[in-house]
mmCIF file of all heavy atoms in Angstrom:
data_model
loop_
_atom_site.group_PDB
_atom_site.id
_atom_site.type_symbol
_atom_site.label_atom_id
_atom_site.label_comp_id
_atom_site.label_asym_id
_atom_site.label_seq_id
_atom_site.Cartn_x
_atom_site.Cartn_y
_atom_site.Cartn_z
ATOM 1 N N PHE A 29 -10.913 -22.436 12.918
ATOM 2 C CA PHE A 29 -10.891 -21.604 14.122
ATOM 3 C C PHE A 29 -11.491 -22.333 15.312
ATOM 4 O O PHE A 29 -11.010 -22.196 16.439
ATOM 5 C CB PHE A 29 -11.572 -20.266 13.842
ATOM 6 C CG PHE A 29 -10.942 -19.561 12.679
ATOM 7 C CD1 PHE A 29 -11.658 -19.305 11.518
ATOM 8 C CD2 PHE A 29 -9.605 -19.195 12.727
ATOM 9 C CE1 PHE A 29 -11.056 -18.691 10.424
ATOM 10 C CE2 PHE A 29 -8.990 -18.582 11.643
ATOM 11 C CZ PHE A 29 -9.715 -18.331 10.484
ATOM 12 N N ILE A 32 -8.734 -24.637 16.638
ATOM 13 C CA ILE A 32 -7.709 -23.934 17.435
ATOM 14 C C ILE A 32 -8.267 -23.652 18.833
ATOM 15 O O ILE A 32 -7.617 -23.905 19.849
ATOM 16 C CB ILE A 32 -7.273 -22.615 16.753
ATOM 17 C CG1 ILE A 32 -6.601 -22.901 15.401
ATOM 18 C CG2 ILE A 32 -6.323 -21.817 17.647
ATOM 19 C CD1 ILE A 32 -6.352 -21.667 14.542
ATOM 20 N N THR A 36 -6.811 -25.336 22.380
ATOM 21 C CA THR A 36 -6.010 -24.447 23.230
ATOM 22 C C THR A 36 -6.770 -23.897 24.437
ATOM 23 O O THR A 36 -6.192 -23.187 25.250
ATOM 24 C CB THR A 36 -5.468 -23.251 22.405
ATOM 25 O OG1 THR A 36 -6.556 -22.519 21.863
ATOM 26 C CG2 THR A 36 -4.567 -23.716 21.271
ATOM 27 N N ILE A 50 -2.664 -16.478 22.320
ATOM 28 C CA ILE A 50 -3.405 -16.910 21.126
ATOM 29 C C ILE A 50 -4.582 -15.979 20.838
ATOM 30 O O ILE A 50 -5.231 -15.497 21.764
ATOM 31 C CB ILE A 50 -3.906 -18.348 21.370
ATOM 32 C CG1 ILE A 50 -2.698 -19.287 21.476
ATOM 33 C CG2 ILE A 50 -4.865 -18.795 20.271
ATOM 34 C CD1 ILE A 50 -3.022 -20.620 22.089
ATOM 35 N N GLY A 51 -4.852 -15.751 19.571
ATOM 36 C CA GLY A 51 -6.077 -15.047 19.212
ATOM 37 C C GLY A 51 -5.908 -13.779 18.419
ATOM 38 O O GLY A 51 -6.880 -13.185 17.981
ATOM 39 N N ASP A 52 -4.665 -13.345 18.217
ATOM 40 C CA ASP A 52 -4.477 -12.154 17.379
ATOM 41 C C ASP A 52 -3.528 -12.521 16.236
ATOM 42 O O ASP A 52 -3.148 -13.678 16.088
ATOM 43 C CB ASP A 52 -3.952 -10.976 18.223
ATOM 44 C CG ASP A 52 -4.608 -9.674 17.796
ATOM 45 O OD1 ASP A 52 -4.479 -9.318 16.615
ATOM 46 O OD2 ASP A 52 -5.248 -9.025 18.646
ATOM 47 N N ASP A 53 -3.142 -11.535 15.421
ATOM 48 C CA ASP A 53 -2.258 -11.843 14.297
ATOM 49 C C ASP A 53 -0.866 -12.238 14.768
ATOM 50 O O ASP A 53 -0.176 -13.002 14.110
ATOM 51 C CB ASP A 53 -2.181 -10.640 13.349
ATOM 52 C CG ASP A 53 -3.508 -10.428 12.654
ATOM 53 O OD1 ASP A 53 -3.803 -11.192 11.734
ATOM 54 O OD2 ASP A 53 -4.264 -9.539 13.078
ATOM 55 N N ASP A 99 1.594 -10.285 9.218
ATOM 56 C CA ASP A 99 0.989 -10.452 10.551
ATOM 57 C C ASP A 99 1.586 -9.485 11.579
ATOM 58 O O ASP A 99 0.910 -9.084 12.523
ATOM 59 C CB ASP A 99 1.151 -11.901 11.033
ATOM 60 C CG ASP A 99 0.030 -12.792 10.500
ATOM 61 O OD1 ASP A 99 -1.121 -12.331 10.433
ATOM 62 O OD2 ASP A 99 0.324 -13.949 10.148
ATOM 63 N N ARG A 173 -6.949 -6.964 17.584
ATOM 64 C CA ARG A 173 -8.230 -7.174 16.905
ATOM 65 C C ARG A 173 -9.394 -6.702 17.774
ATOM 66 O O ARG A 173 -10.494 -6.513 17.273
ATOM 67 C CB ARG A 173 -8.418 -8.664 16.601
ATOM 68 C CG ARG A 173 -7.445 -9.219 15.593
ATOM 69 C CD ARG A 173 -7.680 -10.712 15.371
ATOM 70 N NE ARG A 173 -6.743 -11.244 14.386
ATOM 71 C CZ ARG A 173 -6.714 -12.518 13.993
ATOM 72 N NH1 ARG A 173 -7.569 -13.387 14.518
ATOM 73 N NH2 ARG A 173 -5.848 -12.915 13.089
ATOM 74 N N SER A 252 -5.973 -12.057 5.155
ATOM 75 C CA SER A 252 -5.386 -13.265 4.573
ATOM 76 C C SER A 252 -6.455 -14.242 4.115
ATOM 77 O O SER A 252 -6.268 -14.954 3.135
ATOM 78 C CB SER A 252 -4.436 -13.932 5.573
ATOM 79 O OG SER A 252 -5.073 -14.135 6.808
HETATM 80 P P1 ADP B 30 -3.461 -15.570 11.001
HETATM 81 O O1 ADP B 30 -4.511 -15.878 9.969
HETATM 82 O O2 ADP B 30 -3.379 -14.130 11.378
HETATM 83 O O3 ADP B 30 -2.106 -16.165 10.648
HETATM 84 P P2 ADP B 30 -4.507 -17.799 12.408
HETATM 85 O O4 ADP B 30 -5.919 -17.746 11.995
HETATM 86 O O5 ADP B 30 -3.586 -18.745 11.719
HETATM 87 O O6 ADP B 30 -3.909 -16.308 12.329
HETATM 88 O O7 ADP B 30 -4.416 -18.097 13.956
HETATM 89 C C1 ADP B 30 -5.246 -17.443 14.897
HETATM 90 C C2 ADP B 30 -4.593 -17.551 16.267
HETATM 91 O O8 ADP B 30 -4.492 -18.918 16.684
HETATM 92 C C3 ADP B 30 -3.170 -17.009 16.335
HETATM 93 O O9 ADP B 30 -3.015 -16.370 17.584
HETATM 94 C C4 ADP B 30 -2.299 -18.252 16.221
HETATM 95 O O10 ADP B 30 -1.039 -18.063 16.824
HETATM 96 C C5 ADP B 30 -3.138 -19.277 16.983
HETATM 97 N N1 ADP B 30 -2.917 -20.664 16.535
HETATM 98 C C6 ADP B 30 -3.118 -21.173 15.294
HETATM 99 N N2 ADP B 30 -2.861 -22.505 15.258
HETATM 100 C C7 ADP B 30 -2.471 -22.853 16.508
HETATM 101 C C8 ADP B 30 -2.066 -24.084 17.113
HETATM 102 N N3 ADP B 30 -2.013 -25.226 16.399
HETATM 103 N N4 ADP B 30 -1.749 -24.070 18.434
HETATM 104 C C9 ADP B 30 -1.786 -22.911 19.141
HETATM 105 N N5 ADP B 30 -2.172 -21.722 18.632
HETATM 106 C C10 ADP B 30 -2.512 -21.677 17.332
#
Side-chain angles (χ1 to χ4, degrees):
F29 304 116
I32 296 170
T36 60
I50 295 164
D52 219 302
D53 292 284
D99 275 322
R173 293 179 180 180
S252 52

